[in-house]
């Protein structure tokens, strides 16, 4: 009898069922202790301990003698018969060594035990002859036991071989084909192993109608074996619950009794599914191979064309790369030359300011410098070497902002339509470069429609997603979400060969003198450097559509108001100029000296570092990015900051490469002035940097040296009302120091770093005073002040700046010159409080 490791019966042979007087169906699935309850507790305990040892120790355990009471159902009722068994419990393992079953091999030794009892009773009467008989009986019993042990070992070995056989094996009995035994491979084939005692139709109902049951019936009826080869059968898979096609080779061999009557069927076979599938796959591949041969034959015919196209694409890529590298070097030298010319022209214009004719000529020369600078800028944009300053913006708002500019550019004969989808995403790009790109595309479209006398330009903006399939077929495209801007015209269109060349620098279809051929090259470089994608669709006579795909940004849109034009003023600080080109260096030194600065100069980074480390106080390090020698400009700036912590750094270059620009964007905290630059731009940039430095340094000193006397003065000054003050300052150190002084003075300050955040705060919280820098990074301070007063007419505005004389458009504004301290802030707020009181009185009247 075979049990699971939890002693639940899974099968038993005919001899076991005969001696126990049971039917297989009545005991399968039940615990041995439930199927054969024993009124003798001692016998049940002995059996349980033996089974436990076999499972726990994983070795065969023998129970030489156990008394067992069998209950039989008879017409006269239940009859209990006492029997004696000798049992062996053998653990059976699967291929992985896990315990699968426990086999109980039982010998009924009831007659032997009865004979022993009878012999003992007659021992006194038969001591001589009886003892001899007794010994002979015992010897016979021992011989029988030895043969039984040998048979048990052979049976265990056969069962192990049966279970581990690579092919599937099973034996079924009777006309209903009831499973009597089945090995592991058979259970794996049909999807489960709990088949003992079940008919084949019960164990595998899905086989009904597939012809196998009919074959078994025929074998049982005729006694003739059947061999099936490469037979398909659909069997249920327990993991999925679905039918799976399997292929088998199987032999059905009838099993006969002594009289030759068929009593069962021996089933033996092999699962050849993998082999059959391989054959099917081989046939499929053969067909595909034949088709492939046909296709390859055709492909070989076109191979020369494809090879030439690949060579052309490689040549184009190498040409673009070579041109980009060439452009960088040319731009550096070209911008240096333009800087020398522009600087000297600006200086010359100041010395001959009374000569009107000379001034006109100087203006013409400066215009030529600007055109040259724009040409170099376009080349750098194509080469993706132009430093970008990306901001988060809404393209729909940008298109509305430049609508008037586009209409003036297109003229009255071209109709402009702008369509912006709802819920359009933000994107992170350089606003100025995007505006220039759209303007270039609009000009190209206008020129394409010029011969028609009229036309229509449509600009669409919306959200788009480029998937992996698209990315695989378009170089440098990353799958993801984009903001799409499409510019479509009704012009003459282009042929395919022209479309392939339009992004090449200096390629143009316009007449000589009507274009540089750099407009689309600049657009192409800008879009690629911004991480985007550009695509042109055109057909002769049907117009052209250019689609720009710019990466989506999930950040909040930045404010985009233009900067206010601050007067170009000089100063008296000390500036160290580091420039390897002698003419450029002398020109810059002359311009800075003319602006009133004290100027030191060095021809390379190593010499400049020696000047810095000498201890000479320096306010600003003004250095070219591309320098000769082993010491690079970024490293010079870092070591200069260590030697003189208060020093400010301003980089300049016509070609930044990767020194201070990474990913096409300026590194955080880096100030750059691109060559060539006019005197006014140089003056504004330096003044802004130095004003913030002086202001932050002065405020920090003021905070650090607040004494008890100052605090007493502060407390006395608090007789004026405590004001709610909104401070707007983009320099973090200046903002922190200003807020601390205002708190010491008893006011209630709130600080923000941009005009956009200031407007949000003003919309949510009532303030009495707005204290703002004029030169903010996005929206200028005077524009912020005007919008703030429009929201809150009673709001008092204080402009804190190192600049003076700037027209703000606010009549009642107060000025707080940088650098300022506690006393200056206290004084101006006293005047602000008095002004606010007058406003309130006027409103009451």
């Amino acid at each position: 009898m075979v049990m699971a490791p939890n002693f639940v019966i899974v099968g038993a042979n005919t001899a076991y069922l005969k001696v126990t007087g049971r039917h297989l169906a009545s005991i399968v699935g039940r615990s041995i202790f439930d199927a054969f309850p024993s009124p003798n507790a001692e016998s049940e305990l002995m059996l349980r301990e033996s089974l436990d040892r076999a499972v726990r120790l994983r070795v065969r355990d023998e129970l030489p003698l156990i008394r067992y009471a069998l209950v039989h159902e008879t017409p006269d009722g239940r009859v209990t018969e006492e029997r004696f068994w000798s049992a062996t419990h053998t653990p059976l393992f699967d291929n992985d060594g896990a315990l699968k079953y426990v086999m109980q091999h039982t010998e009924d030794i009831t007659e032997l035990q009865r004979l022993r009892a009878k012999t003992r009773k007659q021992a006194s009467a038969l001591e001589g002859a009886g003892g001899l008989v007794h010994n002979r009986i015992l010897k016979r019993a021992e011989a029988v036991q030895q043969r039984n042990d040998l048979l048990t070992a052979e049976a265990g070995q056969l069962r192990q071989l049966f279970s581990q056989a690579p092919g599937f094996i099973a034996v079924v009995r009777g006309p209903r084909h009831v499973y009597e035994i089945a090995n592991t491979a058979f259970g794996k084939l049909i999807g489960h192993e709990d088949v003992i005692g079940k008919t084949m139709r019960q164990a595998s109902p899905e086989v009904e109608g597939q012809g196998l049951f009919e074959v078994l019936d025929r074998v049982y009826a005729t006694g003739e074996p059947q061999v099936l080869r490469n037979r398909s059968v659909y069997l249920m898979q327990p993991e999925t619950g679905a039918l799976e096609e399997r292929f088998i080779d199987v032999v059905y061999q009838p099993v006969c009794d002594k009289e030759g009557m068929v009593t069962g069927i021996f089933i033996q076979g092999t699962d050849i599914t993998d082999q059959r599938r391989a054959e099917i796959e081989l046939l499929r591949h053969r067909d595909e191979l034949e088709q492939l041969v046909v296709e390859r034959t055709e492909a070989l015919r076109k191979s020369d064309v494809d090879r030439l196209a690949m060579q052309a694409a490689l040549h184009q890529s190498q040409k673009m790369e070579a041109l980009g590298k060439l452009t960088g070097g040319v731009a550096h030298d070209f911008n240096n030359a333009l800087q020398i010319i522009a600087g000297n022209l600006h200086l010359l214009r100041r010395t001959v300011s009374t000569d009107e004719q000379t001034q006109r000529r100087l203006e013409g020369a400066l215009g030529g410098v600007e055109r040259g600078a724009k040409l170099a800028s376009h080349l750098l944009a194509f080469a993706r070497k132009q430093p970008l300053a990306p901001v988060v913006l809404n393209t729909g708002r940008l298109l509305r902002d430049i609508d008037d500019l586009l209409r003036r550019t297109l003229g009255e004969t071209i109709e402009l339509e702008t369509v912006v989808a709802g819920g359009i995403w933000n994107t992170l790009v350089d606003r100025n470069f995007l505006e220039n790109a759209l303007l270039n595309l609009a000009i190209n479209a206008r020129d394409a429609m010029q011969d028609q006398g009229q036309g229509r330009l449509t600009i669409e903006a919306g959200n788009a997603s480029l998937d992996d399939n698209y990315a695989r077929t378009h170089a440098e495209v990353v799958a993801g979400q984009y903001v799409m801007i499409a510019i479509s015209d009704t012009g003459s269109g282009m042929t395919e060969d022209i479309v392939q060349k339009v992004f090449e620098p200096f390629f143009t279809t316009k007449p000589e003198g009507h274009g540089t051929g750099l407009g689309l090259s600049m657009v192409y470089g800008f879009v690629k450097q911004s991480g985007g994608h550009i695509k042109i669709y055109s057909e002769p006579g049907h117009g052209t559509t250019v689609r720009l795909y710019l990466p989506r940004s999930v950040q909040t849109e930045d404010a985009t108001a233009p900067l206010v034009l601050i007067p170009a003023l000089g100063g008296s600080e000390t500036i160290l100029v580091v420039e390897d080109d002698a003419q450029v260096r002398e020109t810059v030194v002359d311009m800075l000296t003319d602006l009133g600065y004290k100027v030191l100069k060095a021809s390379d980074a190593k010499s400049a570092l020696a000047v810095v480390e000498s201890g000479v106080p320096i306010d600003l390090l003004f250095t070219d990015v591309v320098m000769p020698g082993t010491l690079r400009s970024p490293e010079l700036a870092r070591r200069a900051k260590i030697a003189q912590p208060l020093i400010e750094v301003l980089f300049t270059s016509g070609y930044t490469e990767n020194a201070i620009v990474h990913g096409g964007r300026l590194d955080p905290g880096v100030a750059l002035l691109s060559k060539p630059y006019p005197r006014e731009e140089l003056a504004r940039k330096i003044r802004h940097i130095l004003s913030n430095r002086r202001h932050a340094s002065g405020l920090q000193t003021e905070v650090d040296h607040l004494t008890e006397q100052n605090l007493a003065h502060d407390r006395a000054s608090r007789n004026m009302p405590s004001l709610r003050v909104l401070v707007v300052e983009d320099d973090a150190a200046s903002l922190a120091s200003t807020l601390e002084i205002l708190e010491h003075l008893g006011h209630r300050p709130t600080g923000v770093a941009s005009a956009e955040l200031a407007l949000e705060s003003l919309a949510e919280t009532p303030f009495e005073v707005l204290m703002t820098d004029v030169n903010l990074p996005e929206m200028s301070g005077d524009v912020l002040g005007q919008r703030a007063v429009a929201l809150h007419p009673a709001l008092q505005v204080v402009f804190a700046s190192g600049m003076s004389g700037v027209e703000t458009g606010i009549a009642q504004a107060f000025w707080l010159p940088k650098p300022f301290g506690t006393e200056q802030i206290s004084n101006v707020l006293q005047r602000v409080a008095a002004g606010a009181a007058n406003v309130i009185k006027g409103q009451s009247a």
Side-chain angles (χ1 to χ4, degrees):
M1 183 256 294
V2 179
M3 295 168 280
N6 60 353
F7 313 134
V8 172
I9 298 171
V10 298
N13 67 357
T14 305
Y16 194 95
L17 297 174
K18 182 177 179 180
V19 76
T20 58
R22 303 295 176 87
H23 296 288
L24 185 63
S26 68
I27 61 173
V28 168
R30 298 172 63 187
S31 168
I32 186 173
F33 303 106
D34 179 42
F36 297 103
S38 174
N40 189 329
E42 180 182 358
S43 297
E44 182 175 341
L45 179 61
M46 292 173 60
L47 177 61
R48 189 180 296 276
E49 289 177 347
S50 177
L51 288 171
D52 286 340
R53 285 192 299 271
V55 171
R56 178 166 45 84
L57 301 178
R58 297 166 62 88
V59 296
R60 187 175 67 177
D61 190 84
E62 296 181 354
L63 201 58
L65 180 65
I66 181 172
R67 178 180 299 173
Y68 224 87
L70 291 179
V71 178
H72 299 286
E73 296 290 344
T74 68
D76 299 328
R78 287 189 175 185
V79 176
T80 301
E81 179 186 5
E82 186 177 65
R83 307 291 295 179
F84 293 91
W85 290 352
S86 175
T88 301
H89 299 124
T90 305
L92 304 178
F93 306 98
D94 61 16
N95 293 336
D96 298 326
L99 180 62
K100 191 73 174 177
Y101 300 110
V102 178
M103 182 179 71
Q104 184 188 74
H105 178 259
T106 303
E107 295 288 342
D108 190 335
I109 58 173
T110 303
E111 299 303 326
L112 180 59
Q113 286 301 112
R114 289 174 179 172
L115 181 59
R116 284 178 176 174
K118 184 177 180 180
T119 301
R120 282 195 295 270
K121 291 180 181 179
Q122 298 175 351
S124 58
L126 300 173
E127 289 183 1
L132 183 60
V133 172
H134 181 253
N135 289 336
R136 284 202 303 270
I137 293 174
L138 289 179
K139 287 181 180 181
R140 182 188 299 175
E142 289 174 358
V144 170
Q145 184 64 45
Q146 289 175 358
R147 286 196 297 273
N148 287 341
D149 291 343
L150 180 60
L151 290 173
T152 298
E154 291 176 351
Q157 185 178 10
L158 289 174
R159 287 184 179 276
Q160 186 175 8
L161 293 173
F162 177 82
S163 176
Q164 297 177 357
F168 60 85
I169 304 173
V171 176
V172 294
R173 292 289 182 182
R176 299 179 61 205
H177 315 304
V178 177
Y179 283 104
E180 190 172 74
I181 192 170
N183 69 346
T184 303
F186 193 90
K188 184 177 180 181
L189 173 69
I190 66 173
H192 56 92
E193 298 183 10
D194 54 335
V195 297
I196 305 303
K198 296 181 180 179
T199 68
M200 293 193 76
R201 286 178 169 80
Q202 291 172 340
S204 304
E206 69 274 14
V207 180
E208 188 70 59
Q210 298 188 45
L212 291 183
F213 293 155
E214 290 76 6
V215 174
L216 285 165
D217 292 340
R218 188 162 57 251
V219 171
Y220 189 86
T222 64
E224 297 178 358
Q226 291 284 330
V227 178
L228 305 180
R229 297 191 181 277
N230 199 19
R231 181 61 181 262
S232 170
V233 59
Y234 287 86
L235 297 171
M236 187 73 69
Q237 299 304 306
E239 297 84 2
T240 62
L243 292 178
E244 180 183 12
E245 185 180 21
R246 310 294 296 181
F247 294 91
I248 57 174
D249 286 343
V250 61
V251 176
Y252 296 127
Q253 179 68 40
V255 177
C256 302
D257 59 14
K258 293 179 181 180
E259 287 75 24
M261 299 297 294
V262 177
T263 59
I265 300 174
F266 177 80
I267 303 171
Q268 188 272 330
T270 305
D271 185 351
I272 60 168
T273 302
D274 293 339
Q275 174 185 339
R276 180 57 181 162
R277 287 175 179 172
E279 291 173 355
I280 294 173
E281 189 71 9
L282 184 61
L283 291 174
R284 186 179 65 82
H285 280 301
R286 187 186 66 183
D287 295 338
E288 290 180 354
L289 182 61
E290 292 175 353
Q291 179 63 29
L292 191 60
V293 169
V294 175
E295 293 174 357
R296 289 301 184 190
T297 303
E298 178 66 18
L300 286 173
R301 190 178 62 82
K302 299 178 180 179
S303 61
D304 286 342
V305 177
D306 294 341
R307 179 174 53 82
L308 292 175
M310 290 176 63
Q311 289 177 346
L314 178 61
H315 175 72
Q316 177 75 2
S317 175
Q318 291 173 338
K319 181 174 67 174
M320 292 288 197
E321 182 67 22
L323 184 57
K325 292 180 179 179
L326 176 64
T327 300
V330 170
H332 179 258
D333 295 336
F334 188 43
N335 281 328
N336 273 349
L338 289 175
Q339 183 59 53
I340 296 169
I341 298 170
N344 284 286
L345 287 174
H346 281 288
L347 292 171
L348 186 59
R349 186 171 61 175
R350 292 173 59 82
T351 60
V352 294
S353 57
T354 58
D355 189 341
E356 186 174 327
Q357 184 179 11
T358 303
Q359 284 290 329
R360 285 199 303 272
R361 291 175 178 171
L362 288 174
E363 292 297 334
L366 286 170
V369 171
E370 290 180 3
R371 287 193 296 275
K374 186 176 294 185
L375 177 65
S377 175
H378 284 179
L379 286 172
L380 285 173
F382 164 73
R384 310 184 207 179
K385 303 297 183 183
Q386 190 79 310
L388 302 179
V391 296
V392 180
L393 58 83
N394 182 284
T395 52
R397 210 175 332 274
L398 179 138
L399 290 175
R400 287 192 291 271
D401 291 344
I402 65 173
D403 184 83
D404 290 340
L405 174 61
L406 291 174
R407 292 184 187 277
R408 290 196 301 271
T409 301
L410 294 172
E412 296 180 355
T413 60
I414 305 297
E415 181 183 354
L416 173 64
E417 180 183 9
T418 302
V419 180
V420 179
I424 191 169
W425 297 325
N426 291 337
T427 184
L428 181 67
V429 293
D430 188 301
R431 181 186 179 91
N432 292 330
F433 272 88
L434 179 56
E435 290 178 353
N436 288 336
L438 295 175
L439 186 60
N440 265 298
L441 294 172
I443 291 172
N444 283 346
R446 179 199 64 190
D447 294 345
M449 294 183 284
Q450 219 164 30
D451 295 340
Q452 303 172 2
Q454 61 181 4
R456 182 186 185 89
L457 180 69
T458 303
I459 302 179
E460 302 172 82
N463 302 330
S465 294
L466 301 181
D467 59 18
D468 292 331
N469 290 332
Y470 187 90
R472 277 193 293 269
T473 56
H474 293 79
E476 299 184 23
V477 174
V478 178
Q481 295 178 326
Y482 292 83
V483 175
M484 187 277 296
I485 305 176
I487 301 91
S488 303
D489 63 59
T490 57
S492 56
M494 296 178 288
T495 60
E496 181 61 27
D497 60 326
I498 293 179
V499 170
Q500 296 299 323
K501 300 177 182 177
V502 291
F503 292 134
E504 295 181 9
F506 305 112
F507 177 83
T508 179
T509 58
K510 299 177 183 178
E512 187 174 351
H514 288 76
T516 63
L518 288 174
L520 282 176
S521 301
M522 183 275 292
V523 175
Y524 172 86
F526 158 68
V527 172
K528 291 294 185 181
Q529 190 174 351
S530 300
H533 173 57
I534 184 169
K535 187 72 175 177
I536 290 186
Y537 305 88
S538 187
E539 187 177 340
H542 292 82
T544 300
T545 296
V546 181
R547 294 182 184 271
L548 309 182
Y549 294 89
L550 303 172
R552 178 190 181 183
S553 173
V554 296
Q555 301 176 13
T556 306
E557 180 187 13
D558 294 336
T560 55
L563 286 170
V564 66
L565 185 60
I566 298 174
L569 302 177
S572 58
E573 291 88 348
T574 300
I575 300 176
L576 173 58
V577 176
V578 188
E579 171 62 62
D580 61 310
D581 189 303
Q583 288 183 294
V584 175
R585 185 171 62 249
E586 294 306 320
T587 303
V588 175
V589 169
D590 288 344
M591 284 197 292
L592 292 174
T593 303
D594 185 61
L595 288 168
Y597 294 106
K598 302 181 187 70
V599 185
L600 305 174
K601 55 186 177 180
S603 60
D604 56 47
K606 187 175 181 181
S607 302
L609 183 61
V611 175
V612 173
E613 292 179 341
S614 69
V616 177
I618 300 172
D619 297 291
L620 176 70
L621 172 65
F622 184 39
T623 176
D624 196 350
V625 174
V626 182
M627 295 289 291
T630 57
L631 184 62
R632 301 171 69 246
S633 294
E635 179 64 14
L636 167 63
R638 187 187 69 81
R639 294 173 67 172
K641 281 281 190 182
I642 295 175
Q644 298 193 32
L646 294 180
I647 196 172
E648 294 293 334
V649 179
L650 174 60
F651 291 98
T652 182
S653 183
Y655 177 56
T656 57
E657 190 57 45
N658 292 322
I660 59 174
V661 174
H662 293 88
R665 302 171 184 176
L666 282 173
D667 293 342
V670 171
L672 173 68
L673 182 61
S674 296
K675 294 178 182 178
Y677 45 81
R679 175 181 177 277
E680 290 77 9
E681 187 178 353
L682 172 66
R684 291 191 189 97
K685 191 75 173 182
I686 291 179
R687 191 70 259 145
H688 174 65
I689 294 174
L690 291 177
S691 294
N692 280 339
R693 170 184 177 272
R694 290 177 57 203
H695 176 52
S697 176
L699 283 182
Q700 190 58 49
T701 302
E702 182 76 23
V703 172
D704 292 343
H705 293 86
L706 277 173
T707 61
E708 252 338 288
Q709 182 179 358
N710 292 348
L711 293 175
H713 171 75
D714 297 338
R715 286 191 290 271
S717 68
R718 289 174 187 169
N719 291 330
M720 66 177 176
S722 176
L723 300 174
R724 290 189 295 272
V725 184
L726 177 60
V727 182
V728 189
E729 172 60 66
D730 62 317
D731 186 87
S734 297
L735 178 61
S737 301
T738 303
L739 294 175
E740 190 169 348
I741 289 177
L742 287 169
E743 289 175 352
H744 275 294
L745 291 173
H747 298 293
R748 293 165 289 168
T750 299
V752 294
S754 69
E756 181 184 17
L757 295 175
L759 290 173
E760 292 179 1
S761 298
L762 287 167
E764 297 173 356
T765 307
F767 291 94
E768 285 112 0
V769 181
L770 170 65
M771 182 180 294
T772 177
D773 192 358
V774 174
N775 191 17
L776 294 173
E778 298 296 341
M779 183 187 298
S780 62
D782 64 321
V783 175
L784 170 62
Q786 293 171 19
R787 293 190 182 182
V789 171
L791 288 173
H792 304 288
L795 183 69
Q796 300 294 302
V797 181
V798 177
F799 290 106
S801 177
M803 305 296 177
S804 61
V806 179
E807 180 60 40
T808 66
I810 302 177
Q812 299 299 325
F814 297 87
W815 281 92
L816 181 61
K818 290 182 179 180
F820 52 76
T822 304
E823 185 175 354
Q824 288 81 4
I825 291 182
S826 179
N827 291 336
V828 76
L829 289 182
Q830 284 181 348
R831 290 187 286 121
V832 167
N838 292 335
V839 171
I840 294 172
K841 289 179 181 178
Q843 290 176 345
S844 300

